[in-house]
Amino acid sequence: MKHIVIQGGRRLEGTLTVQGAKNSVLPILAATILHPGRTVLRGCPHLSDVEASISILRHLGCKADWEGEELAVDASTLDRWDVPDHLMREMRSSVVFLGAILARMGWAEMSHPGGCELGPRPIDMHLSALRQLGAQLREESGCLRCTARHMTGREIVLSMPSVGATENAMLAACGAEGETVLVNAAREPEIADLQDFLCGMGCKVRGAGSSTICIQGGQPTHDVTHAIMPDRIVAATYLAAAAAAGGEVELRRVSHGHLSTVTAALHAAGCQISGGEGQVVLRSEGRLRSIGTVRTAPYPGFPTDAQAVLMAALLRAQGATVFVENIFENRYRHVDELCRMGADISVAGRVAVVTGVPALCGAQVRCTDLRGGAALLVAGLMAQGETRIGDIFHIQRGYEDPVRDLRALGAEIWME
């Protein structure tokens, strides 16, 4: 079993180019099904979740191959509409294939998805949206059997701005007749990237980035080459790492606007942050101060995916910081592992209080989920002594090569 080992206490200095966004490429890979032709994705990160999506595409009959740093998908040979249980269990976002398969094939069959155990994440909104478009769905022994021989566009009001439900409804609506209007849609930048991809393919979609998205179904598609947007959560992780360990780090291929809530929190904690077009520079002395209450919320609020890494950065801050997790119930599973390193964190329901300590000590810890694993990386970089992180397959779901990246910034980190 592989571990990531960190000898903490070294400042981070240097420049990094941020990888393509995991949360953008996964729905786009599902969307490639809509076009019976060739798609080329540039800047596609090499992640285990991407490989899981590739496995689903190949099972469905598509061709998907790496061509250097680009991923090429040919969906002209798609001839199946089922996704087996072992592939669905590999990641939560696999459910986004449901809308795309229905739009292309008119039939779909799959089990409920897997992924990180972050508490109840029902797919009721996904299924409700598809039913409103005309799909008939049956749930039998954990398996979804769906038919949609004729879907018709209509107004769909989501009960909350769910990213996954918004994506699934967008993809299904591309195969419906007439216009679909999604109300209370998610506003995340990854939704806008999906819209850009769909429009590049020939679909008519507008409104992404706002709470109302309009999709004109039944449009002809064509081959497309698309560059995946940069990963704002990976960028937030490396900014938090530099803030915690101290130093000066420049991130390239980032959107400053997408990171505004994270950089505002790090600035409040005492970091100096500047940036221009496509770059962010952070300077930190390594000893931060506590900040006001951090409340996670749908975009443009503070991202739940960045909560754990910001918490780790503040473990040695002067004073106490309160975190309120409003998205997932079990988003504090990393707390016990951080406490093994000497952190002072108390949790009551959705609230966590982080009281800064003078120092952290390296320890043997394990990843509990993707973002919790990233938090352990941040903590290990500022801890005294050696930190050994196990169950790193969680980290590999969303970070292409954090050992390579952090070593390039001067961290003493390796895999064994």
Side-chain angles (χ1 to χ4, degrees), residues 172-195:
C174 286
E177 182 179 314
E179 184 176 69
T180 297
V181 179
L182 297 180
V183 180
N184 198 28
R187 298 169 58 189
E188 273 73 3
E190 294 79 9
I191 301 292
D193 201 28
L194 176 59
Q195 173 180 280

Side-chain angles (χ1 to χ4, degrees), residues 41-92:
L41 300 180
R42 293 175 175 166
C44 184
H46 291 260
L47 308 170
S48 60
D49 273 10
V50 169
E51 292 301 327
S53 292
I54 290 173
S55 295
I56 291 175
L57 288 170
R58 288 172 175 165
H59 172 81
L60 294 171
C62 303
K63 299 173 183 176
D65 298 287
W66 292 98
E67 298 177 353
E69 293 304 309
E70 298 178 342
L71 179 62
V73 178
D74 184 347
S76 63
T77 52
L78 183 142
D79 59 1
R80 301 186 63 146
W81 55 82
D82 65 302
V83 183
D85 181 70
H86 73 277
L87 292 178
M88 289 296 296
R89 287 181 180 273
E90 290 190 30
M91 60 176 185
R92 171 67 53 172

Side-chain angles (χ1 to χ4, degrees), residues 198-347:
L198 292 172
C199 290
M201 182 188 284
C203 302
K204 291 187 178 180
V205 186
R206 68 184 190 278
S210 73
S211 58
T212 302
I213 301 175
C214 302
I215 306 101
Q216 187 67 42
Q219 300 300 309
T221 58
H222 51 73
D223 290 1
V224 61
T225 296
H226 179 79
I228 302 298
M229 65 172 281
D231 196 310
R232 60 194 173 101
I233 305 304
V234 169
T237 301
Y238 292 149
L239 291 175
E248 180 174 339
V249 167
E250 176 186 354
L251 298 184
R252 295 177 179 173
R253 196 177 175 264
V254 295
S255 171
H256 203 287
H258 295 168
L259 292 165
S260 59
T261 55
V262 175
T263 54
L266 294 173
H267 176 73
C271 299
Q272 298 178 41
I273 297 175
S274 59
E277 184 66 29
Q279 62 149 194
V280 174
V281 179
L282 181 141
R283 301 174 183 85
S284 171
E285 295 304 317
R287 192 62 189 270
L288 307 179
R289 56 177 177 262
S290 61
I291 61 177
T293 301
V294 178
R295 303 177 186 274
T296 64
Y299 191 86
F302 191 90
T304 181
D305 281 351
Q307 172 255 107
V309 295
L310 178 62
M311 178 182 289
L314 295 173
L315 293 178
R316 294 192 305 146
Q318 297 175 0
T321 300
V322 176
F323 287 80
V324 181
E325 174 55 57
N326 293 309
I327 307 299
F328 295 125
E329 291 182 9
N330 294 341
R331 205 75 205 236
Y332 294 134
R333 297 179 68 210
H334 56 280
V335 165
D336 287 345
E337 300 303 302
L338 292 175
C339 289
R340 291 171 65 89
M341 302 175 69
D344 183 352
I345 309 171
S346 58
V347 175

